[in-house]
Amino acid sequence: MPHDVIDVLPVSTSPLIRIRDAVLEFKIGKSWGAKRDLRVLDDISLDVNEGEIIALLGESGSGKTTLGKAMLGLHPLTSGSIAVEPPKAASSRRHGAYDLQMVFQDPLSSFNPRFTVGSSIALPLRLQLKMSEEQISERVADLLSRVGLNASFAHRHPHEMSGGQLQRAAIARALALSPRLIVADEAVSKLDVSVRAQILNLIKSLNRSEKIAFVFITHDLGVAQFLADRVAVMYFGRIVELGPVDQVMDSPRHPYTTMLMNARKGEAPVAEEAKRSAKGCNFANRCPRALGKCHDARPEVTACGEDHEFWCFNPV
Ligand SMILES: Nc1ncnc2c1ncn2[C@@H]1O[C@H](COP(=O)(O)OP(=O)(O)OP(=O)(O)O)[C@@H](O)[C@H]1O
Ligand SMILES: [Mg+2]
């Protein structure tokens, strides 16, 4: 992991986005056949605070991307609510700013191959902010320089750029409308290790110097540890543990978090097959510490230490 050279500022605790009891069910099945509901977000409550980086951890299929997209309003909830709070210092907001943006895993497929990167970055400026052509080219150059790219990259097409350069450009595009929060979905997982470190440093410096909050979705515990202030561990559509990154990583309380940490140390693989318990804890059928009641009731939240919470009847 890259060495952290940026001063750590205290993280505010004013919520930027409040998620309450969010449930999201997808209808799955053939269009002509029987449909069933797949519950992908299962009663999620979470605040993301102004200026913080929160990592979403959890194995494939646990609902991380769906939660990120739901935050941007890309998936309507089945029930519950997601509210974006107005900024605390309203005067500090630039005119026309848009609150949330998303950066995806594969920078090549997130750009239109027929457009120059500059015109892709310019699109929201033209459509949402109605800027003049002169303002646009100035702003595109400024955005590129904020992500460490020379202004000449505006004239390149996506296939003329490396993965790392393109991911920088994707971040520049996300910055165009001055968001308060960027959801970054596995934004470094397709990059080489050295480039990965550069992009992580870029995200960290944008967070520290411009106070942009990030929800950083990742499978990589090392990345979470380097970047995040807090982590939320998801299992089967539920948050099972939430807290400051060092507390959750050093003293995990939920058996699933422990399993993730041990898998990282190479002690035990995280099994693929999982069946969700109908009325109990989602992890009960896989949990080495499960008690009888784990199959019958959902555990309520337990607080341990400052801001550290877990949902388990028989914690580690
Ligand atoms: N549009 C959709 N329609 C139906 N089911 C979906 C849809 N999008 C996601 N799912 C299902 O929802 C579940 C959660 O998917 P999601 O992509 O949020 O997981 P994830 O945690 O991001 O996984 P990964 O780590 O593999 O990216 C999966 O079972 C997936 O198949
Ligand atoms: Mg995903």
Side-chain angles (χ1 to χ4, degrees), residues 24-29 38-41 56-69 75 105 185-186 217-219 234 236-237 276:
L24 195 151
E25 290 175 349
F26 286 119
K27 288 246 179 283
I28 56 168
L38 178 67
R39 183 173 281 227
V40 174
L41 300 182
L56 281 188
L57 291 174
E59 67 203 68
S60 188
S62 56
K64 305 179 297 294
T65 296
T66 306
L67 179 60
K69 287 185 172 176
H75 287 309
Q105 179 174 28
D185 191 356
E186 316 243 13
I217 297 171
T218 182
H219 281 107
M234 286 182 72
F236 240 142
R276 173 156 36 193

Side-chain angles (χ1 to χ4, degrees), residues 11-12 14-16 48-52 85-88 180 211 213:
V11 172
S12 81
S14 58
L16 191 165
V48 181
N49 297 314
E50 296 275 4
E52 79 168 333
E85 298 292 316
K88 228 175 170 185
R180 294 155 68 202
K211 309 283 182 294

Side-chain angles (χ1 to χ4, degrees), residues 7 42 46 137 153 156 179 202 238 294:
D7 285 340
D42 191 5
L46 175 70
S137 59
F153 278 96
R156 297 212 193 173
L202 169 64
R238 261 186 227 169
C294 299

Side-chain angles (χ1 to χ4, degrees), residues 92-105:
S92 72
R93 298 284 287 136
R94 243 173 288 180
H95 171 69
Y98 286 68
D99 287 313
L100 276 68
Q101 294 292 328
M102 197 151 177
V103 172
F104 295 96
Q105 179 174 28

Side-chain angles (χ1 to χ4, degrees), residues 266-282:
E267 284 171 20
V270 174
E272 285 294 317
E273 255 322 299
K275 258 186 102 219
R276 173 156 36 193
S277 166
K279 46 188 172 38
C281 169
N282 279 0

